Amino acid sequence: MSRSDVLNRYLFDDLHARGELVQLKQSYQEILGEHDYPAGVRTLLGELLAATCLLTATIKFEGEITVQLQGDGPVGYIAVNGNHNQQMRGIARLKEATDAQGLKALIGKGNMIITIRPNQGEAYQGVVALDRDTLADCLAHYFEVSEQIPTQIWLFCDEQAQQTGGALVQLMPDGEDKAKQQQDFDHLCQLTQTIKSEELFTLDAETLLYRLYHQEEVRLFEPQDVSYQCSCSTEKCLAAIAQIEPAELKSILAEQGNLSMTCDYCMTTYAFNEQDLSAYLDEGKDAAGGAVTKH
């Protein structure tokens, strides 16, 4: 894929802080895909995509992460799933048509739920109320209450041009002068606050970071590509079909001629005819067929 979708990590060696910069276009466009979301929802989904990339990069783990927003507003559910390889997918579910803009108008009163599933070890879930005005402020509040690490986040999304991105600055405490560390953090936040959306969308990371921090010592690490990847598959569909009673399967096939399932994320439709489902239509056979595993 192109380098239009990239996450950069960097350190401020003398200031006890770290930063991240994410710039996304292709993966955001693929997540929007065939979905006909209104403008406000496209913007919030773009911000959530950038936020999830930034959050994933702060965690030292191999596994999956889900950042979900849910509430009593016109958008009942919006989520982005990703992993340590920065492979992302996302979805929004609307309760009603809406022209609303902004986090509170779209989600209403609700929560942000962050679920981390390491490949090894126990899953972890954190919940924080969406009681701030912006998604960036809510995520910073999450770090404050769950990690107790000063963190500031900036999110940008141009839903018309279908590009999104963001930046993060996080204090790295080392047990020394806490007042000096806080002063350094505040200084870097003031510098980062000057970032403009057009800079984020048009400049490469090295150029942008020089503009922001040209008087600081910044150590930039190897960039990591971000990509869109949906986890749906024929095998997962068959695993779900294996849970349906054979009599019900026969009834569906008799009425419709086939059984089809559409992935909510990528809108891919999987269709199965009677021959495809023969292993599940005989009540005398194991419904799992011995060949399909549930994912």
Side-chain angles (χ1 to χ4, degrees):
M1 60 174 292
S2 71
R3 299 293 275 187
S4 65
D5 291 56
V6 66
L7 172 81
N8 277 278
R9 299 176 177 88
Y10 50 95
L11 285 178
F12 300 94
D13 287 332
D14 300 328
L15 298 178
H16 305 287
R18 59 183 297 277
E20 297 171 11
L21 186 72
V22 65
Q23 299 162 296
L24 307 170
K25 190 169 185 178
Q26 181 175 330
S27 55
Y28 177 43
Q29 293 172 353
E30 291 178 335
I31 283 176
L32 294 179
E34 301 299 319
H35 296 282
D36 188 21
Y37 297 132
V41 176
R42 292 198 299 270
T43 297
L44 184 57
L45 185 55
E47 290 182 354
L48 187 60
L49 172 62
T52 304
C53 291
L54 294 171
L55 178 62
T56 303
T58 68
I59 304 169
K60 295 180 179 179
F61 82 116
E62 290 190 1
E64 297 182 349
I65 186 170
T66 301
V67 183
Q68 173 185 333
L69 313 178
Q70 61 181 28
D72 59 6
V75 177
Y77 174 93
I78 185 168
V80 172
N81 305 85
N83 60 28
H84 62 282
N85 290 320
Q86 291 290 338
Q87 296 169 321
M88 300 286 166
R89 64 176 186 159
I91 191 172
R93 292 194 176 100
L94 279 67
K95 298 176 185 175
E96 59 192 60
T98 179
D99 293 325
Q101 299 272 349
L103 176 66
K104 287 191 172 182
L106 289 167
I107 304 296
K109 185 178 181 181
N111 295 308
M112 176 169 60
I113 304 165
I114 298 174
T115 306
I116 300 169
R117 300 181 184 86
N119 291 341
Q120 296 181 348
E122 296 294 321
Y124 165 81
Q125 189 171 83
V127 180
V128 62
L130 293 172
D131 54 4
R132 302 296 196 270
D133 289 334
T134 68
L135 179 60
D137 289 342
C138 289
L139 198 55
H141 180 56
Y142 166 79
F143 279 104
E144 179 185 341
V145 299
S146 67
E147 308 293 335
Q148 298 182 341
I149 300 175
T151 305
Q152 190 70 43
I153 294 168
W154 296 263
L155 299 173
F156 302 90
C157 183
D158 183 342
E159 59 85 18
Q160 291 186 326
Q162 296 189 351
Q163 50 193 356
T164 187
L168 173 148
V169 172
Q170 189 171 71
L171 185 132
M172 296 179 66
D174 61 7
E176 297 180 359
D177 188 342
K178 288 183 169 50
K180 175 64 166 59
Q181 292 175 31
Q182 186 65 46
Q183 184 179 13
D184 291 344
F185 174 74
D186 292 340
H187 168 65
L188 293 172
C189 287
Q190 290 176 356
L191 294 178
T192 313
Q193 186 69 37
T194 64
I195 190 173
K196 298 179 176 62
S197 59
E198 57 266 28
E199 293 176 321
L200 183 70
F201 296 144
T202 59
L203 300 178
D204 63 84
E206 192 169 354
T207 303
L208 178 53
L209 292 177
Y210 180 76
R211 283 196 182 186
L212 292 174
Y213 313 117
H214 59 275
Q215 293 184 331
E216 310 299 337
E217 292 293 328
V218 180
R219 178 153 46 108
L220 186 61
F221 295 100
E222 184 69 21
Q224 183 178 11
D225 286 330
V226 181
S227 63
Y228 167 77
Q229 180 170 299
C230 190
S231 62
C232 69
S233 67
T234 298
E235 290 73 21
K236 288 189 176 182
C237 290
L238 288 172
I241 291 170
Q243 309 306 312
I244 302 175
E245 290 293 329
E248 185 177 350
L249 276 180
K250 291 178 181 178
S251 175
I252 294 172
L253 291 171
E255 180 180 342
Q256 302 179 8
N258 63 41
L259 188 152
S260 63
M261 303 177 71
T262 300
C263 175
D264 289 338
Y265 285 86
C266 67
M267 305 300 286
T268 298
T269 296
Y270 298 85
F272 306 93
N273 58 30
E274 186 172 352
Q275 182 178 352
D276 297 328
L277 303 178
S278 59
Y280 311 106
L281 295 171
D282 189 339
E283 295 185 46
K285 294 182 179 179
D286 182 0
V292 178
T293 57
K294 186 176 182 182
H295 293 254

